[in-house]
Amino acid sequence: MSDAAIFQRRFEALAANVEDFIRGKPEVVRLALVCLLAEGHLLIEDVPGVAKTSLAKAIARSVAGAEVKRIQFTPDLLPSDVTGVQVYDQGRSRFEFRQGPVFTNILLGDEINRASPKTQSALLEVMAEGQVTVDGHPIAVPYPFLCIATQNPVEHQGTYALPEAQLDRFMMRISIGYPEDLADEVSILSYGVTRRRPDELKSVMELDDLRLMIRAVREQGVADNLREYVARLVRATRVHPDVELGVSPRGGIALITASQAYALAAGRPFVTADDVKAVAIPVLNHRLLLTPEARIQQRTPEAVLSEVLAAAPVPAGR
């Protein structure tokens, strides 16, 4: 069995386990797993009650040996509540660093936009570099470090919008949406009646397996014409008439990396333009700042990206 086939088999097992709890949303689950295997951070943005936190917990519980911690973001949360704090030890007559919840493999940040901008900024370094600087000394967090954050886009009382710098550190922004099929909604109601929780899911993968899959994504080759295709896409967003601020080079790197993971999840040892298209909107939609005129016309980043994808010439072959 090829390495790509082994990757696909593990991916499908992981996806099936999560889908056993998150019913009727296979594409959402796959995108979330692709993001995490590409070493990206995931922002789940949707209305209350559609299983945003449950999706994050289901993914976390599916990996045995992974340390999972959760932060409930509130307006009174302090940066030291996130990264850690220096505590004076009287017995040793010195300060010691008490690690915060970011020192984990999977961090669940619930309602991240309820924290103050000062507290939100405490995540910038660890999300970008996998470390926390304390008194000028960098301290690495466990590997891998994956942040899954949720936020409610319709309730603005007591919330603080995420700054562009922090949004850019999330590889993907996805939404779950309401159940589409009646049977799925009935299953969800049954889970509620029986009090089933994502914590009850069995793990289907060891932490070392997750590390191997992440390494495989890193080693996945990308042809030169695909790199040029991605470069053309991100450059096209910068000159679109409805866009005030286009996709940064970091966004282009995120798009290639997510495409690598998406291709391996399909069992292919190479990346195609279809892989890029499949992940382009969730990877890039939160990286665009539309012009005031476009917002007045109720244009969306998703619509702009669809136009850019449709207009860009697709490279031949792989």
Side-chain angles (χ1 to χ4, degrees):
M1 186 177 293
S2 66
D3 292 341
I6 294 173
F7 186 102
Q8 183 186 26
R9 185 178 64 180
R10 289 175 174 170
F11 182 90
E12 294 298 338
L14 186 58
N17 197 57
V18 176
E19 289 172 27
D20 186 48
F21 190 86
I22 307 298
R23 304 304 298 266
K25 297 294 178 180
E27 189 58 30
V28 171
V29 170
R30 293 182 70 87
L31 283 174
L33 295 178
V34 163
C35 178
L36 300 182
L37 292 170
E39 295 182 271
H41 306 297
L42 177 66
L43 178 62
I44 307 173
E45 182 178 279
D46 216 323
V47 297
V50 293
K52 298 188 299 295
T53 304
S54 294
L55 173 59
K57 286 186 174 180
I59 295 172
R61 298 304 177 189
S62 298
V63 183
E67 190 175 6
V68 182
K69 294 182 181 178
R70 181 177 184 271
I71 303 176
Q72 180 64 56
F73 283 86
T74 56
D76 60 346
L77 197 72
L78 298 175
S80 58
D81 297 327
V82 175
T83 58
V85 64
Q86 292 275 40
V87 177
Y88 186 73
D89 187 332
Q90 291 185 346
R92 298 183 179 183
S93 300
R94 66 181 185 185
F95 283 95
E96 291 188 353
F97 179 63
R98 300 286 177 85
Q99 295 181 349
V102 296
F103 287 86
T104 186
N105 295 119
I106 300 177
L107 177 68
L108 309 183
D110 203 12
E111 299 283 0
I112 189 173
N113 57 331
R114 290 197 175 277
S116 67
K118 183 177 182 180
T119 301
Q120 289 177 10
S121 65
L123 285 171
L124 292 177
E125 180 185 13
V126 68
M127 289 178 67
E129 303 175 33
Q131 66 178 30
V132 173
T133 299
V134 180
D135 289 341
H137 300 289
I139 304 175
V141 299
Y143 175 80
F145 171 74
L146 311 170
C147 177
I148 306 175
T150 71
Q151 70 171 358
N152 178 358
V154 297
E155 185 179 14
H156 301 292
Q157 185 174 0
T159 63
Y160 303 86
L162 294 180
E164 297 299 326
Q166 185 155 8
L167 278 175
D168 201 47
R169 280 163 169 76
F170 286 101
M171 176 173 282
M172 285 188 188
R173 182 181 67 178
I174 64 174
S175 61
I176 297 177
Y178 293 120
E180 297 178 4
D181 296 332
L182 178 61
D184 293 324
E185 187 120 19
V186 172
S187 296
I188 294 170
L189 294 177
S190 300
Y191 291 166
V193 171
T194 59
R195 308 297 193 270
R196 189 183 182 202
R197 301 169 59 85
D199 297 342
E200 299 172 10
L201 286 176
K202 295 181 179 179
S203 59
V204 295
M205 181 184 299
E206 298 290 335
L207 183 59
D208 287 340
D209 295 329
L210 179 64
R211 293 191 179 108
L212 289 174
M213 294 179 75
I214 290 174
R215 185 183 305 169
V217 173
R218 283 187 175 186
E219 297 172 353
Q220 171 82 310
V222 181
D224 290 342
N225 61 345
L226 263 297
R227 299 181 190 183
E228 182 176 340
Y229 177 60
V230 170
R232 290 183 182 276
L233 289 177
V234 298
R235 290 172 67 88
T237 65
R238 302 170 194 164
V239 296
H240 194 283
D242 289 336
V243 176
E244 183 174 324
L245 181 65
V247 177
S248 68
R250 179 189 288 157
I253 294 172
L255 181 54
I256 286 184
T257 308
S259 302
Q260 290 173 295
Y262 194 90
L264 279 174
R268 283 183 281 98
F270 54 88
V271 180
T272 67
D274 287 337
D275 298 321
V276 176
K277 290 181 178 181
V279 298
I281 290 180
V283 170
L284 304 180
N285 62 10
H286 57 293
R287 304 174 194 272
L288 295 183
L289 180 62
L290 302 187
T291 62
E293 295 79 10
R295 293 197 293 270
I296 290 173
Q297 297 173 4
Q298 296 185 336
R299 294 277 284 162
T300 64
E302 290 79 7
V304 170
L305 288 170
S306 295
E307 292 177 1
V308 169
L309 289 168
V314 177
R318 297 181 183 178

